[in-house]
Amino acid sequence: MEQLYYSLLVMLLGVLGCVFYFVGSNWLLIMIFPINHVSNEKMAKNIRRAAAIRPWLFLGPALFFLGLYLVYPVFDSLFLSLHGRNGEDFVGLANYQWLFNDNEFIESLTNNLLWLLIVPALSTFLGLIIAALTDRIGWGNIAKSLIFMPMAISFIGASIIWKFVYDYRAEGSDQIGLLNAVVEYFGGTPQAWITIPFWNDILLMVILIWIQTGFAMVILSAALRGIPEETVEAAVLDGANGIQIFFKILIPQIWGAIAVVWTTITILVLKVFDIVLAMTNGQWDTQVLANMMFDWMFRGGGDFGRGAAIAVIIMVAVIPVMVWNVRQANAQMEGR
């Protein structure tokens, strides 16, 4: 209970602090640029000045902490990536040279590319199909709630759930893992699934697909409901069947939403870490870039230089996707 009271106290102080800052800064602004007991010309000038300063005054703390927690780590990571294990000895590009000659990095890069090819595509596709189907049934909202529910589970929690699904016991023992129980029921041989190269990667991807399908479904369902009914009715009158309407009428009109969902999941995949850490810790050829960065940065004594170099690679890989996403969003807004 003590921790609960402490958390509530911190939240209360945070809210009161924000109120005090906004009210106090606004009062200070009015004191500096008064609008009472001054000439009309002076009042108009002060109103313009205050209006120009107020947004920056209100955004100031947010911009400061954003810079502190987002911008500063970027430059610090670049700095560390050019230094040795202790982060002090300058080594130039030696960490990057090591990186591209390291077999584990090549394995991680290959696995990340495999994740990029499969997870965003299947999550978006399944989300789109489910969104289209659930909009046509009476209990669609209940189905959507159940499918969206995994989004409320942490990646570690979801990994533990699926660890029981993939659990392996020696042949002849009772299988508590759902997958092996099904395999054994149909006469197959139980397998230690997460130790089988390539297939273990696919099984780890299933976990992220299970989580992200609900996200894709919600976004795409909203986009589908925004499509004018007239276009669908016109297609029906022209003799189009359900499949033609779906692929030639509906999808082109929500392509912007599909692109946003796809790129959002792509960025998430590039940073995937929790699932691999909880399920295999990068063993059995399942290593990915984020987990490799964690290993080098915080394990085995730590190597700040090599860990930071991997972090920079991840950041560079994410930037083009983010830029494309922002451009698509801007183009969509301009189109409106």
Side-chain angles (χ1 to χ4, degrees), residues 119-294:
V119 174
L122 280 181
S123 298
T124 306
F125 175 75
L126 292 174
L128 179 59
I129 296 297
I130 294 169
L133 293 177
T134 52
D135 281 340
R136 298 175 178 270
I137 57 178
W139 47 279
N141 289 334
I142 298 176
K144 286 179 180 179
S145 299
L146 294 174
I147 294 168
F148 186 75
M149 196 175 295
M151 282 289 296
I153 305 173
S154 69
F155 282 12
I156 292 292
S159 300
I160 293 172
I161 292 171
W162 281 87
K163 207 161 192 174
F164 284 108
V165 174
Y166 300 145
D167 187 80
Y168 167 74
R169 299 293 171 89
E171 190 173 357
S173 304
D174 291 335
Q175 298 296 331
I176 67 169
L178 177 62
L179 183 56
N180 274 323
V182 171
V183 169
E184 193 174 61
Y185 177 80
F186 286 103
T189 303
Q191 302 287 334
W193 298 104
I194 61 173
T195 67
I196 304 174
F198 178 77
W199 294 110
N200 51 12
D201 276 322
I202 302 298
L203 294 175
L204 297 187
M205 293 176 204
V206 168
I207 302 172
L208 189 55
I209 293 170
W210 179 65
I211 296 172
Q212 291 300 310
T213 295
F215 162 74
M217 174 200 66
V218 169
I219 302 299
L220 297 177
S221 178
L224 287 171
R225 290 188 177 185
I227 295 176
E229 289 290 337
E230 294 80 4
T231 59
V232 178
E233 293 172 358
V236 171
L237 292 175
D238 288 338
N241 57 38
I243 295 178
Q244 290 174 325
I245 292 173
F246 182 74
F247 285 103
K248 295 185 178 181
I249 304 298
L250 299 182
I251 288 183
Q253 295 189 74
I254 63 168
W255 184 249
I258 293 174
V260 169
V261 170
W262 190 299
T263 52
T264 301
I265 299 176
T266 296
I267 293 172
L268 180 65
V269 167
L270 283 168
K271 302 182 294 181
V272 68
F273 162 70
D274 315 59
I275 295 173
V276 175
L277 176 68
M279 294 294 290
T280 64
N281 196 24
Q283 300 178 84
W284 307 298
D285 299 338
T286 59
Q287 186 69 287
V288 291
L289 292 174
N291 194 62
M292 184 182 176
M293 176 198 71
F294 181 80

